[in-house]
């Protein structure tokens, strides 16, 4: 299937990127102008800003309560943005949709960004909030069942890395991991995966842009050979939480996400890999208003509301 016509039409209207090196401040300011006003956002029972006090520091979070209930499953969400873009505001609509469709209380993490904060600051923030959520179950009205983590793009990188850190630390409360088109191999060797060549140009995220977009992270302490930076390089994947990996047909990162799913399956981890036809990288953030792509939230809900199956090593 070719690129979805609505996506192709919008991509065709975008101006070429400005010449010269990327400017994080200008790009963040541009993102901020795209955030819709509060009155235009999906209404929920409650949305509140808070602070999670963690060993990594005081982390800004936003808590989304979908409806009035006595108890909830918890979903901790890590936004994407190549480790230097994105915020609680730019991905507010994603967190709202996740809360509405899953019925879980969603905790979105305002983790520290590159280049201002060196690796592993952002990762430690994300992990710290997961541990904080587990430790504040009473105030969050956690039902004691699901404690899921989810993220898109570089947020998906953090999902895989947080799941690995938790397993190594003996913290076995995470029940599910959800990765939307994750970036799992940050050495960006275009010969490593066919999707790097097949989807190199014309689908939004381009293969040539991967290195400069991730350079702020990689030049500030993140080593692509480190499995916490490139989770696909981790040798032992046993005992990790059940996984849902959603990929996009026209994404350079498609094949590494799908390979990671196969490796998880080989390690005995319950896994679902779902490829969305006609989609490019970022479709959950930018094109979930299209019914066929909003289905990613519905698929996440179905996955989270299935009883998790833990491998023996994860007990």
């Amino acid at each position: 299937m070719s690129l979805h016509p609505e996506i192709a039409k919008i991509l065709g209207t975008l101006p070429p990127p400005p010449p010269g090196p990327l400017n994080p401040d200008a790009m963040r300011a541009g993102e901020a102008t795209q955030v819709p006003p509060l009155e235009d956002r999906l209404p929920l029972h409650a949305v509140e800003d808070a602070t999670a006090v963690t060993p990594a520091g005081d982390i800004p979070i936003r808590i989304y309560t979908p409806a009035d209930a006595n108890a909830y499953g918890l979903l901790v969400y890590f936004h994407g943005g190549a480790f230097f873009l994105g915020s609680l505001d730019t991905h507010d609509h994603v967190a709202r949709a996740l809360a509405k469709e899953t019925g879980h209380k969603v905790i979105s993490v305002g983790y520290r960004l590159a280049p201002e904060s060196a690796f592993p600051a952002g990762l430690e923030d994300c992990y710290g909030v997961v541990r904080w959520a587990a430790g504040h179950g009473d105030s969050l009205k956690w039902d004691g069942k699901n404690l899921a983590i989810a993220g898109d793009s570089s947020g998906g990188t953090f999902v895989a890395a947080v799941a690995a850190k938790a397993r190594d630390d003996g913290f076995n409360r995470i029940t599910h991991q959800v990765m939307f088109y994750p970036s799992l191999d940050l050495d960006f060797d275009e010969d490593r995966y066919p999707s790097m060549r097949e989807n190199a140009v014309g689908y939004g995220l381009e293969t040539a842009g991967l290195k400069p977009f991730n350079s702020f992270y990689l030049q500030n302490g993140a080593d692509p050979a480190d499995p916490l930076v490139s989770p696909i390089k981790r040798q032992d994947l046993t005992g990790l939480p059940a996984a849902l990996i959603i990929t996009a047909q026209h994404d350079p990162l498609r094949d590494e996400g799908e390979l990671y799913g196969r490796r998880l399956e080989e390690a005995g981890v319950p896994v679902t890999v779902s490829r969305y036809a006609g989609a490019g990288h970022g479709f959950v953030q930018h094109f979930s208003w299209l019914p066929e792509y909003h289905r990613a939230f519905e698929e996440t809900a179905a996955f989270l509301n299935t009883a998790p199956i833990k491998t023996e090593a994860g007990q």
Side-chain angles (χ1 to χ4, degrees):
M1 179 179 175
S2 59
L3 191 64
H4 189 288
E6 286 295 327
I7 297 178
K9 181 170 65 176
I10 291 173
L11 290 181
T13 68
L14 298 179
L22 301 178
N23 183 325
D25 291 335
M27 295 176 75
R28 291 168 186 164
E31 277 194 325
T33 66
Q34 302 301 312
V35 175
L38 188 60
E39 60 269 20
D40 292 343
R41 304 181 201 179
L42 178 69
L44 298 173
H45 175 68
V47 178
E48 59 179 313
D49 288 335
T51 300
V53 179
T54 80
D58 294 352
I59 314 302
I61 58 175
R62 186 168 293 166
I63 303 173
Y64 300 81
T65 303
D68 188 12
N70 293 325
Y72 308 87
L74 299 182
L75 172 61
V76 183
Y77 170 65
F78 315 138
H79 67 75
F83 309 100
F84 80 101
L85 293 172
S87 68
L88 295 176
D89 289 330
T90 62
H91 288 67
D92 180 81
H93 62 295
V94 177
R96 287 172 182 263
L98 284 169
K100 178 178 183 296
E101 294 298 337
T102 67
H104 284 52
K105 182 170 287 192
V106 172
I107 304 163
S108 184
V109 183
Y111 58 84
R112 288 170 288 175
L113 301 175
E116 294 86 352
S117 297
F119 176 83
L123 173 60
E124 294 290 352
D125 291 353
C126 291
Y127 184 46
V129 172
V130 174
R131 299 291 298 255
W132 174 89
H136 289 74
D138 288 345
S139 61
L140 293 169
K141 295 186 177 181
W142 182 28
D143 60 14
K145 298 176 184 177
N146 282 2
L147 176 56
I149 55 177
D152 59 298
S153 192
S154 55
T157 316
F158 283 155
V159 166
V162 165
K165 280 178 65 66
R167 182 232 186 232
D168 291 347
D169 287 350
F171 177 72
N172 63 356
R173 304 303 301 274
I174 299 173
T175 57
H176 303 75
Q177 52 177 325
V178 180
M179 291 165 270
F180 302 116
Y181 36 83
S183 176
L184 298 169
D185 189 349
L186 273 72
D187 69 9
F188 303 125
D189 178 359
E190 65 182 64
D191 293 324
R192 187 183 298 270
Y193 306 105
S195 60
M196 288 281 198
R197 298 185 297 275
E198 295 170 10
N199 300 317
V201 179
Y203 298 109
L205 175 66
E206 301 195 345
T207 298
L210 292 172
K211 288 183 179 179
F213 265 81
N214 288 275
S215 64
F216 301 108
Y217 189 55
L218 297 177
Q219 292 174 7
N220 282 275
D223 180 357
D226 184 344
L228 291 177
V229 175
S230 296
I232 205 165
K233 297 184 186 297
R234 183 179 173 92
Q235 295 302 307
D236 181 9
L237 300 179
T238 60
L240 294 174
L244 171 63
I245 301 174
I246 287 178
T247 65
Q249 178 186 4
H250 298 297
D251 183 1
L253 305 182
R254 180 195 70 207
D255 289 351
E256 63 199 71
E258 295 178 2
L259 173 60
Y260 191 65
R262 292 193 296 273
R263 290 198 56 224
L264 286 172
E265 186 174 37
E266 291 167 359
V269 177
V271 60
T272 299
V273 177
S274 185
R275 181 191 294 188
Y276 277 61
H281 189 83
F283 76 90
V284 169
Q285 180 188 1
H286 298 297
F287 296 105
S288 58
W289 50 271
L290 295 168
E292 52 266 62
Y293 299 139
H294 186 84
R295 186 171 61 83
F297 298 122
E298 298 163 3
E299 187 171 7
T300 300
F303 171 68
L304 295 184
N305 290 308
T306 300
I309 303 171
K310 300 281 278 189
T311 62
E312 182 177 350
Q315 294 291 341

